[in-house]
């Protein structure tokens, strides 16, 4: 592998050995890296950390239920062209003026190699991943309106995240390097918190992580808190002047961790019992 392009944990992102290896293999093989894991395990932030570690720009394509593969390639603004023609604007015959590249097109056209994050691909319809196969394989696409083929000047590092809401097609999976991010264990959780809050008191950190793990162990939570909620909570505890001793007896600011009425009720019952 090119040691100049090796991913490692950064000052703001702590990655396990398996994840580091998966990122570096994907970069070396020039294949998309598909990341799965429950919400709050740092899937989206990973792309930012990879870009930082490799010294590359980051381009983010956020996927929604209405997103089409075409949206990532380019759009042709026919309405603006028609409007301009009605008002006698110069250059209406130049269709390229009305072509706007999507996020994939931006990544292909960038002078330098970039990291492209395709975030939450499973939100789109079932055909969306298959519709991207050609572009991700060939790193090019054709614009029939202008007769131009857009080819990647530098093959981007492609990171794709999924919350496993839908099964992805086998043909798509075969083209990816896959990694599942397990939820951090206690030791890693403490390292993550320390990375963001190096001055946090040991007793407060230990009590906060213990309470956090206790909450995650409650059965039938609709939305378990993730690492981002833990970080927000520790920050709130510090700002509120809450000590580790207090945290061992009560649970301040539960709304920072839990975002559903049913989950807050479940916490109350759990603590009461």
């Amino acid at each position: 592998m090119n040691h100049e392009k090796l991913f490692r944990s950064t000052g703001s992102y702590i990655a396990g050995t398996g994840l580091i290896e998966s990122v570096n293999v994907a970069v070396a093989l020039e294949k998309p890296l598909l990341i799965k894991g429950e919400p709050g395990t740092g899937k989206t932030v990973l792309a930012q950390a990879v870009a930082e570690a490799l010294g590359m720009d980051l381009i983010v394509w956020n996927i929604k239920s209405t997103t089409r593969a075409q949206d990532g390639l380019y759009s042709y603004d026919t309405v603006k062209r028609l409007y301009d023609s009605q008002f006698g604007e110069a250059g209406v015959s130049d269709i390229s003026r009305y072509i706007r590249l999507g996020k994939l097109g931006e990544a292909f056209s960038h002078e330098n190699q970039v990291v492209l994050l395709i975030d939450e691909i499973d939100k789109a319809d079932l055909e969306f991943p298959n519709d991207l196969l050609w572009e991700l394989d060939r790193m090019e696409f054709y614009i029939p309106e202008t007769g131009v083929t857009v080819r990647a000047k530098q093959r981007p590092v492609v990171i794709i995240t999924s919350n496993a809401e839908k099964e992805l097609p086998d043909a798509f999976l075969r083209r990816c390097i896959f990694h599942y991010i397990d939820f951090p264990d206690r030791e890693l959780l403490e390292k993550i918190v320390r990375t963001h809050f190096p001055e946090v008191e040991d007793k407060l950190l230990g009590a906060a992580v213990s309470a956090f793990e206790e909450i995650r162990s409650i059965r039938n939570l609709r939305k378990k808190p993730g690492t981002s909620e833990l970080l927000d909570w520790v920050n709130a505890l510090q700002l509120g002047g809450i000590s580790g001793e207090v945290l061992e007896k009560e649970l301040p600011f539960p709304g920072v961790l839990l975002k559903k009425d049913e989950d807050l009720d479940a916490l109350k019952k759990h603590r009461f019992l």
Side-chain angles (χ1 to χ4, degrees):
M1 293 185 186
N2 183 352
H3 289 278
E4 294 181 359
K5 289 188 176 181
L6 281 180
F7 169 65
R8 300 178 180 87
S9 293
T10 68
S12 59
Y13 190 91
I14 305 297
T17 303
L19 178 56
I20 291 173
E21 291 175 348
S22 294
V23 171
N24 289 323
V25 167
V27 172
L29 297 181
E30 298 185 331
K31 288 182 173 291
L33 174 63
L34 174 62
I35 297 291
K36 286 188 178 182
E38 68 174 89
T41 50
K43 300 186 299 297
T44 300
V45 184
L46 170 65
Q48 184 176 344
V50 171
E52 178 186 337
L54 301 184
M56 299 179 186
D57 290 336
L58 173 64
I59 295 177
V60 180
W61 185 9
N62 292 305
I63 306 303
K64 302 176 182 178
S65 59
T66 56
T67 303
R68 304 169 305 147
Q70 175 68 32
D71 299 333
L73 306 182
Y74 74 96
S75 61
Y76 173 30
D77 195 340
T78 55
V79 174
K80 187 176 189 314
R81 189 182 182 208
L82 176 62
Y83 181 87
D84 288 349
S85 66
Q86 290 175 337
F87 287 89
E89 290 285 336
V92 174
S93 60
D94 183 5
I95 296 179
S96 64
R97 292 182 56 195
Y98 305 95
I99 298 294
R100 297 290 179 269
L101 293 178
K103 296 299 184 179
L104 201 61
E106 287 180 25
F108 286 4
S109 301
H110 209 284
E111 290 295 331
N112 301 311
Q113 189 176 25
V114 300
V115 174
L116 171 65
L117 170 63
I118 304 178
D119 200 24
E120 299 190 331
I121 193 172
D122 50 329
K123 281 189 175 180
D125 65 44
L126 292 174
E127 291 305 313
F128 178 85
N130 280 337
D131 291 343
L132 285 177
L133 290 181
W134 172 271
E135 288 76 20
L136 292 178
D137 272 348
R138 303 284 181 169
M139 286 289 154
E140 66 179 38
F141 61 89
Y142 179 67
I143 304 178
E145 289 84 355
T146 59
V148 171
T149 297
V150 177
R151 294 187 178 88
K153 295 180 179 180
Q154 298 279 349
R155 191 179 187 97
V157 175
V158 180
I159 297 177
I160 303 168
T161 70
S162 169
N163 288 324
E165 293 180 4
K166 297 174 187 172
E167 283 297 322
L168 299 174
D170 288 344
F172 180 81
L173 294 175
R174 282 196 296 271
R175 289 163 169 80
C176 298
I177 304 298
F178 174 74
H179 185 86
Y180 186 91
I181 299 183
D182 292 314
F183 199 84
D185 59 17
R186 184 184 182 90
E187 181 181 357
L188 188 52
L189 282 173
E190 291 186 354
K191 284 183 180 178
I192 291 170
V193 175
R194 281 267 180 225
T195 297
H196 291 267
F197 305 109
E199 304 301 322
V200 64
E201 295 178 354
D202 291 342
K203 194 169 185 63
L204 175 61
L205 175 59
V209 172
S210 293
F212 175 76
E213 291 186 323
E214 177 190 350
I215 291 172
R216 281 184 54 86
S217 70
I218 298 173
R219 295 182 61 187
N220 301 322
L221 284 184
R222 288 191 59 193
K223 185 183 184 305
K224 290 184 177 183
T227 52
S228 59
E229 283 85 8
L230 173 61
L231 292 172
D232 287 342
W233 192 47
V234 170
N235 193 25
L237 294 172
Q238 291 187 114
L239 292 173
I242 305 298
S243 66
E245 289 81 0
V246 170
L247 198 56
E248 289 175 348
K249 300 174 184 177
E250 57 186 83
L251 198 69
F253 320 131
V256 179
L257 293 169
L258 300 174
K259 311 300 172 68
K260 303 277 186 182
D261 292 342
E262 305 94 309
D263 292 346
L264 288 169
D265 288 341
L267 173 60
K268 291 176 184 175
K269 292 177 182 176
H270 172 79
R271 279 284 167 132
F272 177 76
L273 292 173

